[in-house]
């Protein structure tokens, strides 16, 4: 056990259980998970389908709350948070990168990147300034007025990364970010995540692919709702 | 997120799906168009009635009519002299309440212009006050004067239609009819004044259009309505067919000298109308007149007041029922429009589950999603309302062109406000349920939704 550091953990899970379904046959998707991720870490969460990694990601991403145990994100306990507080935390502390990009097809690149700022109540001028800055970080400055349908898959995922960055979150949560990309574009996105990590960002990468997981500095492996391996690479 | 950004998102959705949005709005468009048209038509009818009513004397005009005496007082009925000039003289006693008094005696007569035609007419003898009580207007010359009355002068005031009958060849030309002599039952009278032509506003406009040589609008040519004065009866014919002489003249020339003729003061009147000075003291005035008549009628209750209030009430009732049925139709189409909006909004939410999931993931609260959907349906309602206004105006224009209306429609600002207000309300109400459904979406399920 290390001493408790001054800065709060980016993510802290204590004895977390998540049980789906009620009645005679409930399913424990997570069954007593303890996990601490410090600021600046690059962690891959891996495991086969049904291992509980998606459930873990939902908890870490403040999309859901545990059945029992405690989940803290950026120092805030969300175990019993209501939907508005979860929404605020997602807005301020989490940046999502999804496998399917999940850009809004009818908004141009700039407006897609701005989206979290809209819900944070940031003024239009400030939004476009920060969206431009985020776009510069992913090398998409010349595509701000394009729509997602006019971009390649790799470019779409870079837009998604810019959207995840724009709110300066405590944590970037990437869920199979290379799953819909060819290997070159996939490698490109992983390089981008690695460079963000090098710049001090905390990154949690959820993947079933050991090769992708290997890019992280620490790999946490789940099976049947429990952590079976937690090792630095 | 503010309402404004919600509205902007809503506008964008509508721009993206112009045709679908238009179909969605159709019900609201039709509803608002019919609401506006109904308001405009009834407002037009009301305006027409009001102006007609003004021309026949307004609310201030009150008539005193004979009434059958109830059976138990039948013995006493003979005591009352009935409606006589004494009543009219008595009314002079309350000038603060009764401003003008117009007793009338009538005789059927043959009138003839030496340089024109001979026609039959109802000749009215009255007081100068009749000018105000009946809301007359002079086209030329003057009305009766007190001097005419005092002297029993042989002067006559003619209505427009009578001029047309007497001098059919000269009517409508620049001919001057003032000062000409006509005979009434053989006695010569000088024409002192010609009354204005009384007609409804739309008849006036059509006549002027005809005079300018315009082609009459389709439908009117086939309506068979001749020009005013060609024998068509309307609310104004009694005014247009006036042949008016001083009351004293009429009595002395045509009534007296017969057997058992009572003196002028006791001669029966055919009509007695007066004008209430102040409408706010209407009831008080009627009470005072009643007191005066108790004296002249010797306590016999043999008269009734003929007021325009009943008429006005009937008009209001009939307008209200027209408005109600029109409003019902408009209400049904607005309801259908609202159901249409709700339906499309639900479908559009189902299409956009993923988008809503993304918005939730990046920090939209439930109320932000709720507002977004509500703003969208509200925008549809408002735009539908505005398009409906345009459609309503077009509908009215079309209606006037195809089938000219008795009273031209009047679009009042309040009708516009109410129509668009209803459309917006329909937009808001029909968005409530879809917005609530959308706000209950589970972000995890929504993100996974294919």
């Amino acid at each position: 056990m290390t001493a408790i550091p001054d800065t709060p953990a980016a993510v802290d899970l204590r004895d977390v259980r998540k049980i789906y379904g009620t009645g005679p046959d409930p399913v424990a998707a997570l069954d007593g998970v303890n996990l601490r991720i410090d600021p600046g870490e690059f962690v891959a969460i891996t495991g086969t389908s049904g291992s509980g990694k998606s459930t873990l990601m939902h908890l870490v991403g403040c999309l859901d709350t545990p059945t029992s145990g405690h989940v803290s994100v950026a120092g805030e306990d969300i175990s019993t948070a209501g939907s508005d507080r979860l929404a605020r935390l997602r807005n301020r502390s989490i940046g999502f990168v999804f496998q399917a990009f999940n850009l809004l097809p009818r908004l141009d690149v700039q407006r897609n990147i701005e989206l979290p700022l809209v819900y944070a109540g940031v003024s239009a001028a400030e939004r476009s300034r920060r969206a431009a800055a985020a776009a510069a970080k992913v090398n998409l400055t010349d595509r701000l007025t394009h729509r997602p349908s006019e971009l390649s898959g790799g470019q779409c995922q870079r837009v998604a990364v810019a959207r995840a960055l724009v709110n300066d979150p405590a944590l970037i949560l990437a869920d199979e970010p290379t799953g819909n990309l060819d290997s070159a574009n996939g490698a490109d996105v992983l390089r981008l995540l690695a460079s963000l990590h090098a710049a001090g960002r905390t990154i949690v990468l959820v993947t079933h692919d050991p090769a992708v997981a290997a890019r992280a500095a620490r790999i946490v492996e789940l099976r049947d709702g429990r952590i079976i391996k937690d090792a630095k690479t | 997120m503010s309402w404004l950004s919600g509205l902007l998102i809503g506008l964008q959705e509508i721009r993206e799906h112009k045709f679908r949005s238009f179909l969605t709005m159709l019900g609201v468009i039709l509803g608002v168009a019919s609401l506006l048209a109904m308001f405009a038509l009834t407002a037009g009818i009301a305006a027409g009635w009001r102006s007609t009513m003004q021309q026949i004397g307004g609310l201030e005009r009150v008539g005193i009519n004979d009434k059958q005496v109830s059976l138990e007082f039948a013995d006493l009925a003979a005591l009352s002299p009935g409606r006589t000039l004494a009543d009219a003289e008595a009314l002079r006693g309350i000038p603060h309440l009764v401003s003008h008094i117009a007793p009338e005696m009538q005789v059927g007569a043959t009138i003839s212009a030496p340089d024109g035609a001979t026609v039959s007419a109802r000749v009215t003898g009255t007081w100068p006050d009749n000018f105000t009580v009946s809301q007359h207007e002079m086209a030329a010359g003057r009305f009766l004067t007190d001097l005419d009355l005092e002297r029993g002068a042989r002067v006559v005031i003619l209505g427009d239609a009578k001029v047309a009958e007497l001098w059919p060849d000269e009517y409508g030309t620049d001919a001057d009819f003032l000062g000409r002599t006509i005979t009434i039952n053989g006695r010569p009278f000088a024409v002192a004044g010609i009354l204005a032509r009384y007609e409804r506003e739309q008849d006036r406009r059509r006549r002027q259009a005809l005079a300018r040589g315009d082609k009459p609008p389709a439908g009117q040519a086939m309506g068979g309505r001749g020009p005013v004065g060609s024998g068509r009866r309307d609310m104004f014919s009694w005014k247009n067919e006036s042949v008016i002489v001083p009351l004293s003249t009429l009595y002395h020339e045509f009534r007296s000298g017969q057997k058992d003729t009572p003196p002028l003061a006791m001669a029966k009147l055919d009509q007695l109308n007066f004008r209430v000075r102040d409408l706010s003291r209407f009831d008080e005035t009627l009470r005072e007149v009643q007191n005066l008549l108790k004296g002249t009628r010797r306590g016999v209750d043999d008269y009734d007041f003929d007021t325009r209030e009943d008429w006005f009430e009937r008009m209001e009732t009939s307008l209200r029922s027209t408005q109600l049925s029109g409003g019902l139709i408009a209400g049904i189409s607005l309801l259908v429009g609202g159901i249409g909006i709700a339906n499309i909004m639900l479908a559009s939410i189902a299409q956009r589950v993923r988008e809503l999931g993304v918005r939730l993931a990046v920090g939209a609260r439930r109320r932000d999603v709720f507002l977004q959907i509500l703003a969208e349906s509200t925008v549809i309602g408002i735009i539908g309302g505005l398009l409906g206004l345009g459609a309503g105006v077009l509908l009215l224009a079309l209606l006037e062109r195809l089938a000219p209306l008795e009273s031209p429609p009047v679009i009042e600002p309040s009708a516009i406000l109410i129509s668009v207000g209803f459309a917006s309300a329909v937009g808001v109400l029909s968005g409530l349920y879809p917005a609530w459904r959308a706000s209950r979406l589970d972000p995890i399920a929504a993100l996974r939704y294919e």
Side-chain angles (χ1 to χ4, degrees):
Chain A
M1 268 314 234
T2 51
I4 295 168
D6 291 298
T7 48
V11 178
D12 195 2
L13 280 73
R14 301 230 174 120
D15 197 24
V16 167
R17 262 167 242 279
K18 181 71 186 180
I19 295 166
Y20 288 116
T22 49
D25 193 20
V27 179
L30 289 179
D31 191 7
V33 168
N34 288 285
L35 177 66
R36 181 187 166 98
I37 298 171
D38 283 317
E41 276 198 277
F42 185 0
V43 180
I45 293 172
T46 178
T48 54
S49 174
S51 62
K53 65 179 192 301
S54 288
T55 305
L56 182 61
M57 185 204 76
H58 294 150
L59 293 177
V60 171
C62 302
L63 288 163
D64 208 350
T65 51
T67 309
S68 71
H70 288 274
V71 177
S72 298
V73 173
E76 199 163 335
D77 190 340
I78 62 155
S79 311
T80 56
S83 74
D84 277 8
R85 225 180 111 213
L86 289 177
R88 189 174 53 83
L89 267 169
R90 289 197 294 272
N91 188 233
R92 307 255 166 94
S93 305
I94 313 282
F96 286 98
V97 179
F98 300 98
Q99 174 174 357
F101 321 141
N102 278 343
L103 301 177
L104 300 194
R106 288 192 292 273
L107 302 185
D108 64 18
V109 166
Q110 172 168 345
R111 295 201 178 281
N112 263 293
I113 296 174
E114 282 180 4
L115 201 58
L117 300 175
V118 171
Y119 294 107
V122 176
S123 73
E126 176 69 4
R127 283 207 301 266
S128 75
R129 194 187 65 73
R130 280 162 70 175
K137 281 184 194 155
V138 299
N139 263 331
L140 276 176
T141 306
D142 55 340
R143 292 284 189 277
L144 281 176
T145 57
H146 289 59
R147 286 192 170 198
S149 57
E150 298 162 338
L151 302 181
S152 71
Q155 286 171 323
C156 282
Q157 198 58 303
R158 271 153 55 203
V159 174
V161 172
R163 181 179 65 190
L165 280 172
V166 78
N167 246 0
D168 194 19
L171 181 72
I172 290 177
L173 190 52
D175 180 16
E176 302 280 9
T178 61
N180 280 15
L181 298 175
D182 59 33
S183 54
N185 276 314
D188 191 37
V189 166
L190 288 176
R191 259 197 306 281
L192 181 56
L193 291 176
S195 73
L196 291 173
H197 170 234
R201 295 269 165 197
T202 312
I203 294 168
V204 174
L205 176 64
V206 179
T207 180
H208 70 282
D209 183 344
V212 170
R215 299 296 300 263
R218 175 183 166 196
I219 299 176
V220 174
E221 189 176 348
L222 284 152
R223 185 184 294 163
D224 296 334
R226 294 168 191 270
I227 294 178
I228 58 164
K229 201 173 109 187
D230 185 349
K232 303 242 192 280
T233 51
Chain B
M1 192 178 67
S2 67
W3 257 104
L4 187 67
S5 43
L7 285 175
L8 290 178
I9 294 173
L11 267 177
Q12 173 140 17
E13 275 304 317
I14 290 161
R15 262 212 311 273
E16 292 288 337
H17 301 108
K18 285 192 194 71
F19 190 63
R20 188 184 78 183
S21 301
F22 173 73
L23 288 180
T24 309
M25 290 170 190
L26 210 52
V28 175
I29 293 174
L30 291 178
V32 167
S34 47
L35 203 60
L36 185 79
M38 185 273 297
F39 274 129
L41 291 176
T42 49
I45 293 169
W49 278 357
R50 266 193 288 275
S51 94
T52 299
M53 172 130 120
Q54 208 52 49
Q55 291 199 44
I56 59 174
L59 268 178
E60 292 91 340
R61 178 186 163 116
V62 178
I64 298 174
N65 286 351
D66 285 335
K67 184 180 80 172
Q68 192 74 43
V69 178
S70 62
L71 268 181
E72 44 191 315
F73 298 115
D75 302 346
L76 299 171
L79 284 178
S80 167
R83 183 172 51 196
T84 67
L85 210 52
D87 290 344
E89 294 290 351
L91 289 181
R92 284 190 199 267
I94 47 170
H96 59 293
L97 294 173
V98 173
S99 63
H100 298 84
I101 306 151
E104 286 182 20
M105 272 183 210
Q106 288 165 351
V107 292
T110 303
I111 61 175
S112 147
D115 50 351
T118 299
V119 295
S120 64
R122 177 160 290 275
V123 178
T124 301
T126 188
W127 285 1
D129 273 4
N130 201 336
F131 184 71
T132 308
V133 172
S134 298
Q135 298 278 294
H136 278 305
E137 265 175 74
M138 302 308 298
R142 60 172 179 82
F143 200 72
L144 301 177
T145 63
D146 286 332
L147 203 61
D148 293 334
L149 198 69
E150 210 174 292
R151 287 186 179 164
R154 285 191 185 176
V155 290
V156 62
I157 314 297
L158 292 174
D160 181 81
K162 277 292 170 239
V163 175
E165 286 176 39
L166 284 168
W167 295 284
D169 298 335
E170 287 175 89
Y171 177 75
T173 67
D174 291 337
D176 184 7
F177 303 104
L178 289 179
R180 295 194 187 190
T181 301
I182 62 168
T183 61
I184 301 178
N185 283 354
R187 306 186 187 211
F189 280 74
V191 176
I194 309 283
L195 297 175
R197 181 207 300 253
Y198 303 104
E199 57 193 335
R200 291 170 310 174
E201 191 52 39
Q202 63 270 29
D203 291 334
R204 184 194 311 276
R205 275 192 275 133
R206 191 180 54 213
R207 182 169 53 80
Q208 282 162 354
L210 281 172
R212 280 198 309 272
D214 295 357
K215 203 169 93 58
Q220 263 177 351
M222 314 199 308
R225 292 191 201 144
V228 173
S230 66
R232 186 165 70 91
R233 308 292 301 182
D234 61 31
M235 330 208 39
F236 302 122
S237 45
W238 64 272
K239 288 177 85 172
N240 282 319
E241 289 171 15
S242 293
V243 177
I244 297 172
V245 302
L247 180 63
S248 50
T249 313
L250 181 118
Y251 178 79
H252 292 302
E253 299 288 346
F254 306 114
R255 280 270 183 97
S256 68
Q258 296 161 15
K259 234 175 81 169
D260 298 331
T261 311
L264 174 56
M266 281 296 122
K268 297 253 190 208
L269 295 175
D270 293 293
Q271 279 202 50
L272 176 54
N273 296 302
F274 63 88
R275 191 171 167 85
V276 175
R277 184 177 290 281
D278 181 358
L279 272 184
S280 66
R281 297 171 75 181
F282 193 83
D283 291 338
E284 182 191 350
T285 305
L286 290 195
R287 268 200 310 278
E288 279 302 310
V289 171
Q290 242 163 354
N291 280 340
L292 291 173
L293 292 183
K294 264 191 193 123
T296 58
R297 303 293 175 95
R298 297 186 186 140
V300 181
D301 180 22
D302 61 349
Y303 58 89
D304 244 347
F305 290 120
D306 175 20
T307 68
R308 305 287 160 176
E309 276 191 318
D310 311 345
W311 200 77
F312 198 73
E313 259 164 42
R314 272 203 302 281
M315 172 185 111
E316 294 279 303
T317 312
S318 120
L319 262 187
R320 259 199 298 280
S321 64
T322 311
Q323 271 172 340
L324 204 67
S325 51
L328 200 68
I329 294 168
I332 290 171
S333 38
L334 279 175
L335 181 74
V336 171
I339 294 171
I341 294 181
N343 192 19
I344 295 290
M345 291 307 295
L346 285 172
S348 127
I349 289 166
Q351 265 181 13
R352 285 190 288 159
V353 167
R354 229 194 157 122
E355 173 201 321
L356 295 171
V358 173
R359 289 181 183 276
L360 288 166
V362 301
R365 292 163 303 174
R366 296 199 178 287
R367 85 180 71 129
D368 295 324
V369 171
F370 185 86
L371 274 185
Q372 177 189 336
I373 302 300
L374 197 62
E376 198 175 317
S377 70
T378 306
V379 168
I380 289 179
I382 291 173
I383 294 180
L386 295 177
L387 290 178
L389 281 187
V393 171
L394 282 180
L395 185 73
L396 288 170
L398 198 71
L399 213 58
E400 264 201 294
R401 193 139 195 92
L402 293 181
L405 304 160
E406 287 278 299
S407 318
V410 178
I411 299 177
E412 288 169 338
S414 63
I416 293 177
L417 281 178
I418 292 174
S419 310
V420 178
F422 263 112
S424 318
V426 163
V428 172
L429 290 177
S430 58
L432 284 177
Y433 176 65
W436 180 80
R437 281 276 298 266
S439 74
R440 302 323 291 174
L441 278 175
D442 172 23
I444 297 170
L447 281 170
R448 278 208 201 113
Y449 190 86
E450 290 300 329

